Amino acid sequence: MSTNETSAHDKFSSFLRCIEEGCEAQYSIDQRLYSCPECGGLLDVAYDFESSVSADELKALFKSRKTSDLDIDRSGVWRFRELLPFVADTSQAITLAEGNTPIYAAPRSADYAGLASLRFKHQGMNPTGSFKDDGMATGVTQARVLRATAVACASTGNTSASMAAYAARARMRAFVFVPAGQVAFGKLAQALEYGASVIEIEGSFDDAMRIVRELAEETDLYLLNSINPFRLEGQKTIVIEMMEQLGWRAPDWIVVPGGNLGNSSAFGKALHEMARLNLLDLRPRLAIIQASGAAPFYELFVSTDRTALKPYASAATLATAIRIGNPISWKKALRAIDWTRGIVERVTEQEIADAKAVIGSDGIGCEPASAATLAGIRRLVAAGEIRSDDTVVAVLTGNLLKDPDYTIGYHTGSLTLDEGGTRTVIEASFANRPLRVAASKDAIKRLLNL
Ligand SMILES: *Cc1c(COP(=O)(O)O)cnc(C)c1O
Ligand SMILES: [Zn+2]
């Protein structure tokens, strides 16, 4: 099976464009830029979608690729390449068969939230266990197009795990900068296994981030933190694929956890572009959920002055993937909220922990950050923002197995958050404790009432 390669790139021109109103400077797609040289603003990968391909033709093309023999067609990112046509030569595309993630109905979770029905799109089912893979497929591909020989990021988590894997596929060197001693073992293990050089900085995450950004300016290292707009291109496909799985009938709500706000930004851009290409019947609203200990975007959303985000000096949440006090993509996420009549909510540690266990009771495992979605939906239903018969798809961002310590801690009643000298004990409201018993059949019968 072959595919219609003429549909990508040659029909649409691609360029970089500053998102700042009044600047909107444009740059060539081949320039190695992470922010606007004119004003320092964030950059979009932008396209002239003057398409001669109809929406129906696009849908048929996407579908036909699922049965193609080509790796690039079977990728849940590159299958949708007409909407990310920045790669002229698709033989350059890097893939680990990312995307193609399932959508699950979740009746117990729906009940818990007060919804008639609820579905989860599970990005934790990606090759390295998080949605970062969708973005690294495109980010590492652009690194290759630009002939970078090495990629770098500052991260303590899923970004480094994913970048390491994709760099390995592209036979590039990978440098992961982490604050010494602050790395979750599950995620560090992945970066090591995939062969990245892990550099432990004697300092904070912010030190690591600043140093890697400076290094990227002065050396050949290609920066793959989410300020890199090519990562967001891949993450757009999460929404495109979701729409395809829903038979191209848009849900009323798409719900996503917000940390650095790259994913929220990508979803907004996807919906905006899909509308331009007539791939949306109605506009879903975006709901972004933050942890209350790391909720600067929520505070911006509810404030009357949305021109400047006030960063948190120290962010506190056990959902480490969204433990971000100064989200880099907040202006893009605000734009996504504007485009989609979106909404931002925040939830407590207890709400996140309980929601995670409820999702588990549907047979679906996820990271703590992912469970913020259900906790947020529950709040928004109670507040009357989401109606009980609305169609809702929440995006689970990461795999349960990334963070087993959290899950064990919850179910054994030993989960605590220590911050600024105070300790918050998480109550194990839905605990499923292991039972300890003597190695005797009779004792077990008595214990289990068998
Ligand atoms: C990165 C990540 C997030 C946060 O996504 P942003 O794009 O930074 O908002 C949430 N959950 C998981 C599991 C992640 O890896
Ligand atoms: Zn600019």
Side-chain angles (χ1 to χ4, degrees):
M1 273 263 336
S2 168
T3 53
N4 180 5
E5 287 309 323
T6 58
S7 51
H9 201 268
D10 26 321
K11 285 199 180 117
F12 305 137
S13 66
S14 324
F15 48 97
L16 293 168
R17 184 175 57 212
C18 175
I19 71 159
E20 290 295 326
E21 263 173 52
C23 177
E24 288 166 14
Q26 296 188 9
Y27 306 95
S28 155
I29 201 80
D30 311 322
Q31 273 184 274
R32 198 189 276 209
L33 297 173
Y34 309 108
S35 55
C36 175
E38 291 288 323
C39 76
L42 296 171
L43 296 173
D44 266 336
V45 182
Y47 310 106
D48 291 322
F49 279 123
E50 301 313 332
S51 175
S52 56
V53 191
S54 74
D56 284 341
E57 283 170 320
L58 281 176
K59 290 175 191 175
L61 187 59
F62 299 155
K63 188 171 186 184
S64 73
R65 286 176 179 155
K66 289 190 194 179
T67 52
S68 161
D69 294 330
L70 300 176
D71 288 348
I72 175 180
D73 287 345
R74 297 200 135 182
S75 157
V77 168
W78 295 113
R79 200 154 62 80
F80 303 104
R81 55 192 173 272
E82 282 69 20
L83 275 79
L84 28 146
F86 65 87
V87 191
D89 173 6
T90 48
S91 71
Q92 299 279 304
I94 306 292
T95 178
L96 276 166
E98 54 287 324
N100 295 314
T101 58
I103 288 194
Y104 299 122
R108 288 183 170 137
S109 300
D111 234 29
Y112 179 72
L115 287 174
S117 72
L118 171 61
R119 280 169 291 194
F120 288 119
K121 179 148 178 70
H122 203 332
Q123 291 302 113
M125 308 302 257
N126 264 299
T128 79
S130 83
F131 75 80
K132 301 298 195 294
D133 293 344
D134 295 74
M136 284 299 171
T138 47
V140 173
T141 294
Q142 182 65 6
R144 179 194 248 189
V145 168
L146 296 175
R147 299 181 191 286
T149 55
V151 291
C153 68
S155 161
T156 62
N158 289 331
T159 299
S160 52
S162 182
M163 188 190 78
Y166 282 83
R169 296 302 297 173
R171 298 172 176 231
M172 271 176 212
R173 299 180 70 194
F175 296 91
V176 169
F177 293 80
V178 299
Q182 294 176 45
V183 188
F185 256 38
K187 301 173 184 183
L188 179 63
Q190 289 182 292
L192 294 173
E193 185 83 348
Y194 303 135
S197 300
V198 176
I199 299 105
E200 300 188 312
I201 307 252
E202 293 169 357
S204 67
F205 172 81
D206 292 328
D207 293 328
M209 188 67 246
R210 176 177 46 80
I211 290 167
V212 73
R213 274 196 78 167
E214 288 172 15
L215 284 173
E217 298 294 336
E218 294 169 21
T219 70
D220 187 49
L221 288 183
Y222 186 64
L223 184 65
L224 279 174
N225 279 96
S226 61
I227 191 167
N228 185 315
F230 291 94
R231 273 187 51 199
L232 304 195
E233 290 306 291
Q235 289 168 214
K236 287 190 320 197
T237 63
I238 298 166
V239 171
I240 306 169
E241 186 177 85
M242 176 195 300
M243 284 294 299
E244 183 185 51
Q245 286 167 307
L246 299 175
W248 301 101
R249 283 185 300 276
D252 296 310
W253 294 92
I254 296 174
V255 187
V256 62
N260 233 341
L261 300 171
N263 220 18
S264 309
S265 301
F267 289 13
K269 189 168 187 278
L271 292 168
H272 193 67
E273 293 174 353
M274 289 172 83
R276 281 171 66 189
L277 291 165
N278 299 317
L279 288 169
L280 282 184
D281 51 345
L282 62 91
R283 286 281 187 111
R285 297 178 69 184
L286 199 61
I288 301 172
I289 317 297
Q290 294 208 292
S292 50
F297 190 62
Y298 168 80
E299 284 176 15
L300 180 82
F301 176 76
V302 296
S303 92
T304 47
D305 173 15
R306 291 189 183 168
T307 54
L309 175 133
K310 292 190 194 71
Y312 283 27
S314 85
T317 171
L318 293 168
T320 49
I322 51 173
R323 184 177 172 177
I324 292 173
N326 192 11
I328 190 96
S329 293
W330 70 267
K331 283 192 178 168
K332 287 184 177 177
L334 196 57
R335 184 179 67 174
I337 289 292
D338 287 343
W339 280 340
T340 65
R341 292 187 303 122
I343 195 164
V344 187
E345 182 57 280
R346 65 172 169 191
V347 292
T348 66
E349 291 300 297
Q350 185 68 50
E351 289 172 309
I352 292 173
D354 290 340
K356 192 170 105 61
V358 172
I359 295 168
S361 77
D362 269 314
I364 303 167
C366 67
E367 270 196 55
S370 312
T373 54
L374 179 61
I377 293 165
R378 188 169 191 251
R379 274 197 179 219
L380 291 168
V381 171
E385 295 279 1
I386 298 180
R387 295 199 328 238
S388 61
D389 59 349
D390 280 351
T391 50
V392 183
V393 181
V395 176
L396 300 180
T397 45
N399 194 290
L400 171 76
L401 298 176
K402 292 275 192 178
D403 204 348
D405 289 347
Y406 180 103
T407 307
I408 300 276
Y410 179 82
H411 287 290
T412 56
S414 60
L415 193 61
T416 57
L417 174 64
D418 294 301
E419 179 61 26
T422 58
R423 164 166 288 197
T424 312
V425 179
I426 310 298
E427 295 192 19
S429 327
F430 298 88
N432 179 19
R433 285 189 176 76
L435 306 170
R436 185 167 286 215
V437 63
S440 129
K441 194 164 62 187
D442 286 340
I444 292 170
K445 280 185 169 168
R446 272 197 305 279
L447 179 75
L448 300 181
N449 280 322
L450 292 174

